[in-house]
């Protein structure tokens, strides 16, 4: 069967209030002791599979979970075990799962790449969980006299290393699982609780937390965009296409967001989250008429979130990446700690904001909604994509021409870098009419994302090399302008910092020297891009 659930982390400040709502007369408290299994090199975890044997009250249940049809959906198979047999295995420290029970079940496909007999021999208990689960049912009657029903489960406990019980990891999370009824009821209920208790979505399973524990890691690595996970076919409708694109963006956004709300301050998590949001914003703008269900309020919230992440990331990247590089070249040390600490809104504050969490919930609901009931279901996505691409491509060419004209008007002493004003932020979306390079950078980035989303539908087999070459030239042009913009920003940061710390003069001079050499390189890449014939 397929379970549909939403999981959230609970902030300490709202825990008491939430506990009052979970511990009501109708709620039930169950002690859950679970043993999790995998191969020593965690082959199941790498395949997105979790395997456990858990005591639920007086019953032992073997459960396997694997990827489902949606972000909030997972395949799940439960098998009740014989208590006497389990106890006998426990007494001999030989408790192991039985993989034979998955033959001829819907979960068998998830195990198709494994030789089950070999897998069974290599399984070992990696960790156990000791959790107190408090559950209550939330119901609502429908007009057709059926009930919408959700099980709310609050879990509090810990994960314990399978061979060293001194290694532990706390668990404190709440889940909402749809038992019966409409999917809308699940998301409506989750949004209500999210607003009331400032809950934060998390995609990190107990199995993933256990894997992190045994590997000595606090958080999973940052997740990059993965276009191979974009599930669309040649005959996708416009409404189905935009849902698949949003889903693909969320596959990058949610894991990185989950890591940050759990406490990560890793630069890569922040960067990949911001890139995921940028990709999503591009999709929502470019394909806005592909669906009537796109909420116009999503874009300003996503833009604000991306801007706040960028504000923090700039200083964090300078501190952790640029400073070590400059010091390796002989630069005196510059302390950016106070600059970072002075930022009032940190990434975790940004993501804990109710409006962002509610937006994520609405986006997940959008991807799981039925695209076939929309008017756009009769329109093929590929018939609309050519127009979108052509419009964006023409904008890029026009802006590129404008940039060339302005560049030719200025004196030879003035570099393109100096055309970028001091008040333009890295990766900003605000394009001034007198700043065509910044405008072009934004347009090229949008064109890249639109092209990557569209390629599966528009690229013909015979023209794959042409498509690949065009995208390569586009990405090189975009990255060269992006690097120019970033270097200009770093130069400005060091220049400003030098007013209070003369050690920063080295960095200011370093980036000023780099900027003087950028123009011919950028011109060449833009020219190659402009001369390339399109793939659509």
């Amino acid at each position: 069967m397929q379970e549909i659930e939403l999981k959230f982390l609970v902030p300490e400040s709202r825990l008491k209030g939430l506990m009052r709502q979970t511990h009501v007369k109708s709620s039930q408290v169950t002690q859950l002791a679970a043993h999790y299994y995998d191969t020593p090199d965690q082959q199941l975890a790498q395949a997105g599979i979790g395997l456990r044997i858990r005591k639920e009250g007086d019953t032992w249940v073997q459960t396997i979970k694997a990827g489902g049809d949606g972000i909030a959906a997972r395949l799940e198979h439960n098998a009740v075990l014989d208590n006497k047999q389990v106890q006998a295995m426990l007494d001999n420290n030989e408790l192991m799962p039985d993989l034979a029970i998955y033959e001829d079940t819907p979960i068998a496909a998830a195990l198709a790449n494994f030789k089950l007999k070999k897998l069974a021999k290599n399984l070992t208990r990696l960790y156990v969980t000791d959790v107190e689960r408090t559950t209550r049912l939330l119901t609502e009657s429908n007009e057709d006299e059926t009930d919408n029903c959700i099980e709310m489960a609050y879990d509090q406990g810990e994960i314990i290393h399978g061979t060293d019980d001194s290694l532990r990891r706390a668990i404190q999370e709440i889940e909402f699982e749809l038992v019966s009824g409409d999917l809308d009821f699940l998301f409506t209920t989750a949004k209500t609780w999210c607003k009331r208790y400032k809950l934060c979505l998390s995609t990190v399973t107990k199995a993933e937390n256990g894997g992190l524990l045994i590997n000595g890691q606090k958080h999973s690595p940052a997740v990059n965009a993965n276009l191979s996970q974009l599930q669309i076919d040649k005959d996708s409708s416009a409404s189905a296409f935009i849902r698949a694109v949003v889903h693909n963006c969320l596959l990058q956004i949610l894991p990185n967001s989950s890591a940050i709300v759990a406490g990560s301050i890793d630069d890569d998590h922040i960067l990949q989250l911001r890139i995921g949001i940028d990709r999503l914003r591009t999709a929502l703008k470019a394909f806005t008429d592909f669906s009537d269900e796109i909420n116009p309020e999503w874009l300003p919230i996503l833009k604000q979130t991306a801007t706040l992440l960028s504000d923090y990331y700039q200083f964090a990247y300078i501190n952790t990446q640029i400073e070590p590089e400059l010091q390796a070249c002989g630069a005196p040390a510059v302390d950016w700690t106070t600059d970072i600490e002075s930022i009032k809104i940190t990434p975790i504050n940004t993501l804990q904001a109710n409006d962002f969490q509610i937006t994520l919930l609405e986006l997940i609901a959008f991807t799981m909604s039925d695209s076939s009931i929309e008017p756009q279901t009769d329109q093929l996505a590929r018939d609309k994509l050519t127009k979108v691409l052509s419009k964006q491509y023409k904008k890029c060419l026009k802006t590129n021409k404008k940039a060339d004209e302005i560049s030719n008007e200025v004196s030879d002493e003035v570099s393109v870098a100096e055309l970028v004003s001091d008040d333009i932020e890295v990766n900003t979306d605000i394009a001034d009419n007198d700043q065509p390079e910044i405008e072009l950078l934004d347009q090229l980035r949008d064109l890249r994302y639109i092209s990557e989303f569209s390629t599966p539908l528009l690229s013909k087999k015979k023209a794959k090399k042409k498509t690949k070459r065009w995208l390569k030239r586009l990405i090189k042009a975009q990255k060269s302008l992006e690097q120019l913009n970033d270097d200009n920003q770093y130069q400005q940061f060091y220049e400003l910092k030098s007013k209070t710390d003369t050690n920063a003069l080295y960095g200011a001079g370093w980036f000023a020297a780099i900027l003087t050499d950028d123009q011919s390189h950028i011109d060449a890449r833009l020219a190659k891009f402009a001369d390339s014939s399109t793939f659509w």
Side-chain angles (χ1 to χ4, degrees), residues 434-483:
D434 295 328
Q435 304 300 326
E437 290 79 15
I438 301 298
E439 186 179 0
L440 179 58
L441 172 57
D442 293 333
Q443 292 172 356
L444 287 174
R445 188 185 298 114
D446 285 346
L447 180 59
R448 171 190 175 177
Y449 296 149
I450 295 168
S451 300
E452 289 175 339
F453 294 140
S454 305
T455 297
L457 296 187
L458 299 182
S459 179
K460 298 177 182 178
K461 289 184 179 180
K462 294 181 180 179
K464 279 191 175 181
K465 287 185 178 179
K466 178 182 175 182
T467 302
K468 189 175 180 180
R469 181 171 61 250
W470 188 86
L471 275 172
K472 186 177 181 180
R473 290 183 176 183
L474 166 60
I475 292 170
K476 283 185 174 181
Q478 174 228 326
K479 286 188 174 181
S480 64
L481 273 178
E482 198 163 64
Q483 189 62 58

Side-chain angles (χ1 to χ4, degrees), residues 355-514:
D355 56 0
F356 178 68
Q357 291 297 322
I358 297 300
T359 297
L360 288 183
L361 281 171
E362 291 180 354
L363 286 163
I364 296 171
F366 172 69
T367 65
M368 299 182 72
S369 61
D370 187 357
S371 64
S372 66
I373 62 175
E374 287 203 54
Q376 286 82 351
T377 193
D378 296 327
Q379 302 177 43
L380 292 181
R382 64 171 181 262
D383 294 339
K384 297 170 71 71
L385 288 174
T386 300
K387 184 178 179 180
V388 173
L389 282 162
S390 296
K391 182 179 179 180
Q392 185 65 27
Y393 178 62
K394 289 176 182 177
K395 284 169 64 176
C396 291
L397 295 183
K398 183 178 179 180
T399 307
N400 187 29
K401 183 179 179 181
K402 180 180 177 181
D404 285 341
E405 291 172 351
I406 292 179
S407 180
N408 292 332
E409 291 174 1
V410 299
S411 64
D412 293 337
E413 290 81 15
V414 180
S415 68
V416 172
E418 293 173 303
L419 291 174
V420 183
S421 68
D422 291 348
D423 61 347
I424 297 295
E425 295 178 354
V426 176
N427 295 326
T428 183
D429 290 291
I430 302 173
D432 191 288
N433 289 332
D434 295 328
Q435 304 300 326
E437 290 79 15
I438 301 298
E439 186 179 0
L440 179 58
L441 172 57
D442 293 333
Q443 292 172 356
L444 287 174
R445 188 185 298 114
D446 285 346
L447 180 59
R448 171 190 175 177
Y449 296 149
I450 295 168
S451 300
E452 289 175 339
F453 294 140
S454 305
T455 297
L457 296 187
L458 299 182
S459 179
K460 298 177 182 178
K461 289 184 179 180
K462 294 181 180 179
K464 279 191 175 181
K465 287 185 178 179
K466 178 182 175 182
T467 302
K468 189 175 180 180
R469 181 171 61 250
W470 188 86
L471 275 172
K472 186 177 181 180
R473 290 183 176 183
L474 166 60
I475 292 170
K476 283 185 174 181
Q478 174 228 326
K479 286 188 174 181
S480 64
L481 273 178
E482 198 163 64
Q483 189 62 58
L484 169 68
N485 193 40
D486 289 350
D487 288 345
N488 184 74
Q489 288 296 309
Y490 300 143
Q491 196 278 333
Q492 292 169 18
F493 279 127
Y494 274 94
E495 186 72 36
L496 182 62
K497 185 74 171 176
S498 68
K499 295 179 181 179
T500 56
D501 184 352
T502 56
N503 283 355
L505 286 171
Y506 188 105
W510 175 279
F511 283 106
I514 289 177

Side-chain angles (χ1 to χ4, degrees), residues 94-150:
E94 296 176 346
L95 181 62
M96 293 295 289
D98 178 10
L99 300 183
I101 64 178
Y102 301 125
E103 295 178 5
D104 301 321
T105 67
I107 206 75
L111 295 168
N113 293 329
F114 296 95
K115 294 180 179 179
L116 294 189
K117 289 184 179 179
K118 182 179 179 181
L119 178 62
K121 290 181 180 179
N122 291 330
L123 287 178
T124 184
R125 188 185 72 174
L126 295 184
Y127 49 90
V128 298
T129 60
D130 183 12
V131 173
E132 181 183 85
R133 168 168 287 185
T134 304
T135 60
R136 61 175 287 197
L137 295 178
L138 306 174
T139 60
E140 175 187 77
S141 296
N142 284 326
E143 293 180 359
D144 59 2
E145 297 183 356
T146 61
D147 284 338
N148 288 321
C149 183
I150 293 171

Side-chain angles (χ1 to χ4, degrees), residues 304 348 478 520 522:
Q304 180 185 41
I348 190 170
Q478 174 228 326
S520 59
I522 293 171

